[in-house]
Amino acid sequence: MARPAPVNDINENELEVHDPKSAAAGIKAVMVSMERGFSQAGVNRTVRSMLRVNQHGGFDCPGCAWPESITGARKPAEFCENGAKAIAEENTVRTVGPEFWAAHSIADLEGKTEYWLGHQGRITEPVMIREGETHYSPVSWAEAFNVIGEHIRSTTPDRCVFYTSGRTANETAFLYQLFARSLGTNNLPDCSNMCHESSGSALNPTIGIGKGTVSLEDLGEAELIFVVGQNPGTNHPRMLSALKECRENGGKVVAINPLPEAGLLNFKDPQDPASLLRGGAQIADEFLQVKVGGDLALFQAFGHLLLEEEKRVPGSVVDKAFIEAQTEGFEAYREARREIDWEETEKATGISRLEITRIAGMLAKSKATIICWALGLTQQPHSVDTLKEIINLLLLQGNFGKPGAGACPVRGHSNVQGDRTMGIWEKPKEWLLEALDKEFGIQSPREHGFDSTETLQAFEEDNVDVFVSLGGNFALANADTAALEAGMKRAGLTVHISTKPNRSHVVHGRTSIILPTLGRTDTDDKHPKGAQFLSVEDSMSVVHSTRGRLAPVSDHLLAEPVIVARMAQATLGEDHPVDWRGMAEDYDVIRDHISRVLPGFENFNQRIRNKNGFVLPNPPRDSRSFATDIGRARFTVSPLEYLEAPEGHLILQTMRSHDQYNTTFYGLDDRYRGISNGRRVVLVHPEDLKDLGFADRDLVDVVSTFRGTERRADRFRLVAYPTARGCAAAYFPEANALVHRELVARESNTPGFKAMTVRFEPHQADQLS
Ligand SMILES: Nc1nc2c(c(=O)[nH]1)N[C@H]1C(S)=C(S)[C@@H](COP(=O)(O)OP(=O)(O)OC[C@H]3O[C@@H](n4cnc5c(=O)[nH]c(N)nc54)[C@H](O)[C@@H]3O)O[C@H]1N2
Ligand SMILES: Nc1nc2c(c(=O)[nH]1)N[C@H]1C(S)=C(S)[C@@H](COP(=O)(O)OP(=O)(O)OC[C@H]3O[C@@H](n4cnc5c(=O)[nH]c(N)nc54)[C@H](O)[C@@H]3O)O[C@H]1N2
Ligand SMILES: [Mo]
C-alpha cells in the first residue's frame, strides 16, 4: 500500500503534549495574528489589510462564513486570530516563480509535505507540464487556454469535471457553472459535497430551503442555543462573541460534543479588554459529552421527553397552532417518539438518562431556541436523519420565524453558501436550467452530474479526461487518498486555478496546468472600466461586496472571472451566444444576468452597492412559511441508528487543528488542545487506551475497517485525551487515507469523515537501510 501524502514532516519524537486549554482567544490570539502577518507579509501590508477586513468597502475575510452585523456598528477590528492567519497566508510576499519550478521536479515535490508546499508563497505565472516531462515550466496564458480548449473539445462533456472550492465569489461561480452547462455537463462537484451537503439534504425536504433560518441578531435574542458538533473557538471564532451576547442577555448555551473544546467552555474576547482582565467569559452553561454518532439518539430522546412534558402539562411545550397551520406528519412523529429504550439511548449517546432529562427541561422551558451545528453532524452515514431530527425538535416548539429561534447550520468556506446559490450544483433544479437557457440561448443538459464522491469514483474508473479545479485541493480533501491520487495521475488533463502550490498540483494528470489567480485581498483593476469588485453570501444569507486593495505579488495574475471566461472562449469559440468577453471586462454585466436568472437578486447591481448589501429571501425566517412540495414543513420519522465499534476497535472522527485552514497549514500546533509540534496523533480516552492494551504516546499504525476491507495509515502517536469513551480523534487530512469511498452519508453522499471504525497495531520500527 502506497504511503499517504506526506502531510506532516516532523519527527514523531518531537511531539509535545500539554493539558488542553480551558479558554479560547485572549491576548495570545491577538499576538499570534499579528506575528503571522508580519512574518509573511511585512508590517505595512498586514496593517493595511487588517484595517480593511470585513469593513464596508473592504474585503470579506477569506476565513469562515460567519456573518458581520448588518444592523449594529462594525467593530474597528472585525476579525479573529484565524481570520488573520488566513489573510497572512494570502498576503505573503513570498513568491513561487519559474525558478521554483525549474529547481523542483515532480518526484521531488511528491516527497514534500503540504506544509512545505504552502509555505513557498504565491504562484506568479501560469505553468504547464506535459506527458513525459519531469518539471512544470512557464506557459503563456494564451497557450494555456488553447491547450485546455483542445483537451475539452477532444472528449465528451460527461468526461469533464469542474470542481469548485468555497472561496470562489458569486460572479465567478455563476460564470463557471454557465461554462460547464454551455459545454453540456452538470459535473459540478464542490467542497460543499464534503461539508454541509447533509444539511441541505435534511433541510430542503423538511423546511423548503437548504439554508439556515436565523440572523446574527437572533443569536443575541435566543433563550437557549445548542452548539452541536462544532468547534467555534478554532473554526468560527467570531461566533463566540454572539454566544457571549446571548448569555449576557440571560440566554443559556449548551455544547454537545465528544471533545471538551476550549472555545465552547470559556472565551476571552480580544475585542473586549474587560473580559481579558477578568480572565474570560464562560460560554457553555452545560456540556453534554456525546459519543461520536450518538446525536440522533440524543435528539430522539429530547423529542420523547418534550412530548411527555406536554402530556403532563398540556399546552406548555408543543406549539399546537403552528403545527396545525404549517406542518405535516406530526401524528406519525408523536407515535414514533411515544416509547423510548433508555438503555439503548444511554449506550448510543454515552450520556445518562438523568442528564438528558435535565437538558430536556431547559428545552421545554425555552420559548426561543436556536440549534447550531457544523461538521460533527454532517459526516456520518445517518447524518441526514440526525439533522431531520433537529428539525422535528424545532418544529415541535414552533421555533421558526420568530426572534431568537431557528436552525443554524454554520457553514465553512467564506462563500460556500453563495456558490450553491449561484448554481454550483451537480443536481440542478429544472427552473434554474430553464432560466439559464432562456437568458443565454444555450441548451443546458438535464442529466445530473458527479458530486465529489462520484468524481473520486470516476477517477478510479478512468472516467475523467479533464478535471478543472477552481481553488481547493481535491486530492487531499477527499477520501481514499491513495486511490484518488492514482486516479488523478491517469486523467488526461488537470487544471488548477490556484493561489499557492498544493498536493493536487503534484499528483497531476498526464498534462497539467496551474493558473495563478488574484485572491480576496488583491486589487482587480486591469479592466477597461477600471477596478472591479465581487460579492459573497455569508452563513445567514446576507449578500455583500468584497474588494481587495493590495498590490498583487505579480503582474501576470488574472482575476478568477477572467480566467473562467477565457477558458470558456477558448473552448466554445468566439461565436458562442454567451458574451464571455463582456462579462469578464465588467462584472456589472454578470450581475445583470444574475438578476434575471436567480430569484432574490433583482436589482443586484444597485443593492450590492448598499453599505450592508442585502438579505436573500428566506421563507421560514421572513414569513413562517415553507416552500416544500406540499407547501408545509414536514415532521419526519427516522429509526434509531448510531455508530458501534466491535471489540478492540474505536470510532474515529477527523477534525481541524487550531493551526490549519482545511488542507492549508499555518503551523503544526493545536494550541487549545495542548498538542504541539505534531499532527500525526490519535486522541483516545485514557481508559480506552488501557482496555486496548496501549499506553499514552505509543507509536502505532491505524487500521480502518469497512465492509470486510482494511485501509492503513502508519506512524501515529496515541495521546491520552478526555474525549468521549469509545471514540478517537485524528486530524484531517492525515487520516483521509483511512476513509473508504463507500463510507458516506446516505442521501447526501458526504464522506464519513467522522464515522470510521479503527483499531491500532504497534508500529514496527522501520527497517534501517
Ligand atoms: N481556522 C479555520 N477555520 C475554518 C476552517 C479551518 O480549517 N480552519 N474550515 C472551514 C470549513 S470549510 C468548515 S466546513 C468549518 C468546519 O467547522 P467545524 O465543524 O467546527 O470543524 P471540525 O474541526 O471538523 O470540528 C468538528 C467538531 O465536531 C465534533 N464532533 C465530531 N464528531 C461528532 C459527533 O458525532 N457529534 C457531535 N455532537 N460532535 C462531533 C468534533 O469534536 C469537533 O469539535 O470551519 C471553517 N472555518
Ligand atoms: N477527513 C476529513 N476530510 C475533510 C473534512 C473533514 O472534516 N475531515 N472536511 C471537508 C470540508 S468541510 C471541506 S470544505 C473540504 C475542503 O476542500 P477544498 O476546498 O478543496 O480545500 P482547501 O484546503 O480549502 O483548499 C486550499 C487551496 O485553495 C487554494 N486557494 C486559496 N485561496 C484561493 C483563492 O482565492 N482562489 C483560488 N482559485 N484558489 C485559492 C490554494 O491553492 C489552497 O491550496 O475538505 C473536506 N475534507
Ligand atoms: Mo467545509
Side-chain angles (χ1 to χ4, degrees):
M1 162 77 48
R3 222 177 134 163
V7 280
N8 176 359
D9 59 346
I10 52 117
N11 178 339
E12 56 266 331
N13 297 322
E14 289 172 7
L15 173 75
E16 289 171 34
V17 180
H18 313 275
D19 285 341
K21 295 271 181 294
S22 59
I27 290 281
K28 175 83 181 165
V30 178
M31 282 170 50
V32 169
S33 39
M34 285 302 152
E35 212 174 86
R36 296 294 160 104
F38 295 161
S39 70
Q40 292 270 354
V43 174
N44 205 354
R45 278 170 84 84
T46 304
V47 172
R48 284 187 55 193
S49 56
M50 292 309 163
L51 290 174
R52 289 281 180 193
V53 62
N54 293 339
Q55 301 297 327
H56 300 128
F59 63 91
D60 182 59
C61 179
C64 70
W66 190 255
E68 295 82 45
S69 172
I70 54 169
T71 53
R74 304 247 162 128
K75 299 184 182 130
E78 186 71 59
F79 66 92
C80 65
E81 173 194 345
N82 277 347
K85 289 190 219 161
I87 294 163
E89 273 294 305
E90 183 170 307
N91 261 347
T92 184
V93 286
R94 295 177 202 162
T95 53
V96 169
E99 61 299 338
F100 172 88
W101 302 109
H104 299 283
S105 67
I106 291 297
D108 174 22
L109 293 175
E110 261 201 283
K112 300 292 188 195
T113 67
E114 194 61 24
Y115 179 58
W116 186 91
L117 287 173
H119 274 74
Q120 302 312 302
R122 290 282 298 270
I123 306 171
T124 58
E125 58 187 278
V127 288
M128 176 160 74
I129 184 167
R130 292 196 193 253
E131 199 157 11
E133 292 177 348
T134 53
H135 293 68
Y136 276 102
S137 56
V139 61
S140 70
W141 281 101
E143 172 68 1
F145 290 128
N146 276 341
V147 172
I148 295 169
E150 274 165 24
H151 271 266
I152 296 179
R153 282 194 307 270
S154 69
T155 182
T156 49
D158 60 314
R159 298 179 63 84
C160 300
V161 179
F162 298 89
Y163 174 70
T164 312
S165 171
R167 199 172 278 185
T168 308
N170 288 332
E171 292 78 0
T172 320
F174 186 80
L175 280 190
Y176 194 59
Q177 60 84 36
L178 183 62
F179 171 37
R181 293 188 170 122
S182 297
L183 180 70
T185 180
N186 285 309
N187 285 343
L188 285 159
D190 69 343
C191 68
S192 185
N193 296 147
M194 298 183 261
C195 181
H196 263 288
E197 197 65 57
S198 302
S199 304
S201 299
L203 297 176
N204 272 313
T206 54
I207 60 168
I209 187 168
K211 302 179 181 184
T213 68
V214 302
S215 66
L216 185 56
E217 286 63 39
D218 283 321
L219 277 104
E221 294 174 40
E223 290 181 26
L224 183 62
I225 300 180
F226 278 18
V227 182
V228 198
Q230 212 200 322
N231 181 21
T234 287
N235 297 316
H236 305 91
R238 287 179 303 119
M239 178 179 178
L240 299 184
S241 309
L243 296 176
K244 193 177 104 190
E245 195 181 324
C246 166
R247 294 193 77 252
E248 284 165 359
N249 294 341
K252 299 249 186 265
V253 175
V254 176
I256 303 178
N257 200 303
L259 295 175
E261 306 283 28
L264 291 174
L265 304 180
N266 204 336
F267 168 52
K268 297 183 196 165
D269 187 349
Q271 297 176 354
D272 172 4
S275 120
L276 290 174
L277 292 177
R278 286 193 308 270
Q282 188 185 341
I283 289 287
D285 297 270
E286 301 283 350
F287 169 50
L288 288 182
Q289 189 162 33
V290 70
K291 283 191 178 178
V292 173
D295 306 84
L296 176 58
L298 181 64
F299 286 105
Q300 291 187 342
F302 286 147
H304 167 79
L305 291 167
L306 290 187
L307 290 166
E308 288 291 296
E309 182 60 18
E310 175 71 15
K311 255 196 262 170
R312 206 175 63 81
V313 190
S316 65
V317 178
V318 172
D319 188 339
K320 258 186 145 165
F322 168 74
I323 290 174
E324 270 166 28
Q326 304 283 12
T327 71
E328 189 165 291
F330 175 63
E331 279 314 317
Y333 171 74
R334 179 156 66 181
E335 190 49 41
R337 297 283 77 80
R338 193 182 297 281
E339 305 291 338
I340 186 169
D341 180 339
W342 276 111
E343 204 179 312
E344 194 166 22
T345 301
E346 290 187 333
K347 185 171 145 215
T349 59
I351 307 170
S352 72
R353 174 177 181 173
L354 195 72
E355 233 186 316
I356 296 176
T357 308
R358 196 164 53 77
I359 304 299
M362 292 171 75
L363 259 177
K365 270 205 293 219
S366 166
K367 297 286 171 229
T369 301
I370 292 176
I371 302 185
C372 304
W373 71 86
L375 302 192
L377 296 190
T378 63
Q379 299 175 330
Q380 289 141 355
H382 54 294
S383 281
V384 177
D385 288 346
T386 304
L387 297 170
K388 285 181 175 167
E389 210 60 57
I390 286 183
I391 296 302
N392 285 336
L393 216 56
L394 292 171
L395 289 173
L396 195 63
Q397 295 186 281
N399 279 313
F400 286 99
K402 64 182 188 188
C408 181
V410 182
R411 302 277 166 180
H413 266 296
S414 53
N415 197 40
V416 62
Q417 184 161 317
D419 291 344
R420 183 58 59 87
T421 306
M422 289 296 128
I424 301 289
W425 200 13
E426 76 286 352
K427 298 181 190 66
K429 296 271 186 244
E430 179 58 28
W431 66 259
L432 171 69
L433 301 177
E434 263 172 35
L436 288 171
D437 292 354
K438 182 162 161 259
E439 176 72 13
F440 294 101
I442 59 170
Q443 183 59 50
S444 301
R446 266 37 187 188
E447 197 185 328
H448 287 173
F450 297 147
D451 62 22
S452 66
T453 298
E454 289 159 343
T455 300
L456 162 55
Q457 184 171 346
F459 270 122
E460 278 197 69
E461 293 169 357
D462 291 331
N463 288 330
V464 182
D465 287 329
V466 178
F467 178 74
V468 182
S469 191
L470 183 46
N473 189 359
F474 194 72
L476 266 196
N478 211 331
D480 245 343
T481 318
L484 174 56
E485 291 193 346
M488 277 180 97
K489 288 182 183 180
R490 295 191 302 268
L493 173 73
T494 49
V495 179
H496 293 281
I497 301 164
S498 308
T499 49
K500 296 185 133 189
N502 67 38
R503 180 77 182 172
S504 300
H505 303 157
V506 178
V507 291
H508 58 78
R510 282 176 290 153
T511 296
S512 179
I513 295 176
I514 304 173
L515 302 176
T517 183
L518 297 174
R520 277 281 168 81
T521 54
D522 299 323
T523 313
D524 178 9
D525 59 1
K526 285 193 209 147
H527 296 271
K529 291 190 182 164
Q532 301 290 312
F533 68 89
L534 291 162
S535 69
V536 292
E537 173 186 342
D538 68 28
S539 212
M540 292 175 183
S541 308
V542 181
V543 180
H544 61 86
S545 65
T546 172
R547 184 195 286 265
R549 304 276 184 168
L550 293 181
V553 290
S554 150
D555 287 338
H556 302 298
L557 306 184
L558 290 184
E560 285 177 328
V562 177
I563 295 176
V564 174
R566 288 189 58 183
M567 215 159 43
Q569 279 175 290
T571 305
L572 302 168
E574 291 296 331
D575 52 1
H576 189 260
V578 177
D579 178 18
W580 300 104
R581 186 189 308 272
M583 292 197 282
E585 285 181 350
D586 179 357
Y587 304 166
D588 276 358
V589 178
I590 311 178
R591 282 185 285 267
D592 276 339
H593 285 297
I594 292 174
S595 70
R596 289 189 291 267
V597 170
L598 298 175
F601 285 85
E602 299 77 16
N603 299 322
F604 190 7
N605 268 313
Q606 182 200 328
R607 289 192 295 156
I608 196 62
R609 288 172 164 85
N610 291 346
K611 205 165 83 175
N612 286 315
F614 58 96
V615 188
L616 289 174
N618 187 308
R621 173 165 83 189
D622 304 340
S623 56
R624 252 195 166 186
S625 59
F626 302 91
T628 60
D629 52 344
I630 50 170
R632 286 164 165 254
R634 267 200 181 89
F635 280 92
T636 51
V637 172
S638 304
L640 177 58
E641 186 176 333
Y642 53 99
L643 303 170
E644 262 188 300
E647 185 68 27
H649 292 69
L650 299 173
I651 301 295
L652 178 72
Q653 62 142 321
T654 57
M655 62 194 179
R656 290 149 175 78
S657 80
H658 193 63
D659 246 1
Q660 76 185 84
Y661 193 90
N662 300 336
T663 68
T664 300
F665 302 99
Y666 308 135
L668 300 173
D669 300 339
D670 194 4
R671 197 168 79 241
Y672 297 156
R673 296 196 186 106
I675 310 280
S676 49
N677 251 338
R679 295 182 43 91
R680 244 176 143 75
V681 293
V682 188
L683 313 185
V684 181
H685 193 281
E687 293 298 314
D688 285 328
L689 274 184
K690 219 186 315 163
D691 290 354
L692 293 171
F694 287 97
D696 187 26
R697 296 325 136 75
D698 275 357
L699 190 61
V700 296
D701 296 341
V702 185
V703 184
S704 69
T705 59
F706 178 76
R707 291 189 193 148
T709 66
E710 290 188 349
R711 302 256 186 297
R712 308 176 71 90
D714 59 1
R715 303 170 76 100
F716 279 75
R717 282 263 178 233
L718 296 176
V719 173
Y721 199 88
T723 178
R725 291 295 309 269
C727 311
Y731 293 121
F732 149 49
E734 279 77 359
N736 287 38
L738 294 165
V739 189
H740 193 292
R741 69 166 154 77
E742 286 167 26
L743 172 61
V744 291
R746 293 189 303 274
E747 295 179 56
S748 66
N749 224 13
T750 295
F753 291 133
K754 292 179 173 60
M756 279 176 274
T757 303
V758 296
R759 65 166 193 273
F760 308 122
E761 291 178 359
H763 178 72
Q764 307 297 329
D766 290 335
Q767 300 273 317
L768 290 174
S769 56

